Structure formats: structure tokens, C-alpha cells
Amino acid sequence: MATANKNLSEYDKATIPNANKYRFGIVVSEWNDSITEGLFQGAYDTLIEHGALPSNIIRWNVPGSFELVYGSKKMQEQMVNSVIAIGSVIKGETKHFDFVCEAVSQGIKDLNVIRETPVIFCVLTDDTMQQAIDRSGGKHGNKGTEAAIAAIKMAELRKNS
């Protein structure tokens, strides 16, 4: 397990650019909302901590993780500097998990290749609810925090490239 001995919320704060000049879009899946709300809060709090203005953070909800691709595509049109796609897919008894995870991963990758505004992949793809809890504010920290840091860094990269 990649995060077995790592806390996703630990990073060197001195290396993060100030986010006060950027606008961020956050697209949040309503499915598994006990997990996605924790991820959103981690992302939001981290953006604010690094200077983002609350008025420069736009949140949209979509029904499920599959819809994150369309929501992120539309968010890219909102004059944001980066987008964070937040979702949680937990493995069940059918192949649905595999299809959703593959589609969302490929869809977000495609948005990053085709369009100019970066989309950060903050979709947990866990085998169990406990794994999702551990990564959305639990013992492994918060993947939302990690996604916010990536969003700030990618906004900075886009500005400087």
C-alpha cells in the first residue's frame, strides 16, 4: 500500500507558492459524501492557508465520480487557474468499480492533455470504506490537502510556462 507509512498532509509549506492571485475550481462528487466532504474540506482549508481568497474558490457538485469529467471540463471554462476533481469509488462486488475508475482516470487525463487548465485527480479508488476514511482526514492524512498543493503548483507552472 503506497500510503501505509506516509501522511498525505505532510509537506514543506515553505516551498508552496502564494495562491492569492489564483482562482480554483473544485468539482465534488456527491456519491460517498462522507468521504468527499472530508476531501473537499482538506483541499479548501489548504488553499486558504496558502493565500487563496474564499471568493476565488468555486465549488460545484456532481452526482458521482463518473460525472467529474464533464464537471471538470465545464469548470475549466470558468476562468480558473486549476481544477480539483474530488471523488471516492469504493470497490464492491461487481466490475462497476473498474469501469468507473478507468473512465474517470482516462477522462481527467484527457482534459489535461487537450485543454490548458490543469485538472488535479483527487479521486480515491479504495477497496474498503476504511481505506477511504484513512485517506480523507484519517490516519493517512487527507488526499484533498495533497490535491490543493498540486493545484497551486500547477497554477504556478501554467503561469510561468
Side-chain angles (χ1 to χ4, degrees):
M1 185 175 347
T3 55
N5 297 311
K6 181 171 174 60
N7 186 314
L8 300 170
S9 301
E10 293 177 0
Y11 60 94
D12 182 0
K13 294 180 182 184
T15 65
I16 309 306
N18 190 310
N20 69 346
K21 57 189 169 275
Y22 298 126
R23 286 174 38 95
F24 299 93
I26 305 177
V27 183
V28 183
S29 168
E30 295 172 337
W31 192 258
N32 291 327
D33 65 336
S34 64
I35 302 302
T36 60
E37 286 304 318
L39 294 169
F40 168 77
Q41 200 61 56
Y44 182 86
D45 291 347
T46 302
L47 291 172
I48 295 297
E49 180 180 357
H50 289 284
L53 303 172
S55 60
N56 284 341
I57 301 172
I58 303 166
R59 176 187 171 147
W60 288 353
N61 289 349
V62 295
S65 290
F66 193 82
E67 290 78 23
L68 286 170
V69 177
Y70 181 78
S72 294
K73 178 179 114 174
K74 298 311 281 181
M75 183 65 83
Q76 286 177 312
E77 298 169 2
Q78 300 301 306
M79 303 299 292
V80 295
N81 298 99
S82 61
V83 176
I84 302 171
I86 294 178
S88 172
V89 186
I90 299 171
K91 192 165 189 152
E93 297 176 358
T94 68
K95 290 185 153 212
H96 183 74
F97 172 88
D98 298 321
F99 297 132
V100 171
C101 293
E102 178 72 18
V104 175
S105 298
Q106 291 299 318
I108 290 174
K109 181 268 300 174
D110 289 346
L111 291 176
N112 279 311
V113 171
I114 295 168
R115 301 183 124 200
E116 291 299 314
T117 303
V119 179
I120 308 306
F121 186 84
C122 184
V123 181
L124 298 183
T125 56
D126 296 305
D127 290 330
T128 66
M129 178 61 85
Q130 188 58 54
Q131 288 176 340
I133 291 167
D134 291 345
R135 289 161 180 77
S136 61
K139 71 179 183 180
H140 292 303
N142 194 315
K143 184 75 173 171
T145 297
E146 185 180 310
I149 296 304
I152 295 167
K153 287 182 174 183
M154 293 304 290
E156 186 84 354
L157 175 69
R158 182 177 178 213
K159 181 188 104 184
N160 293 329
S161 62

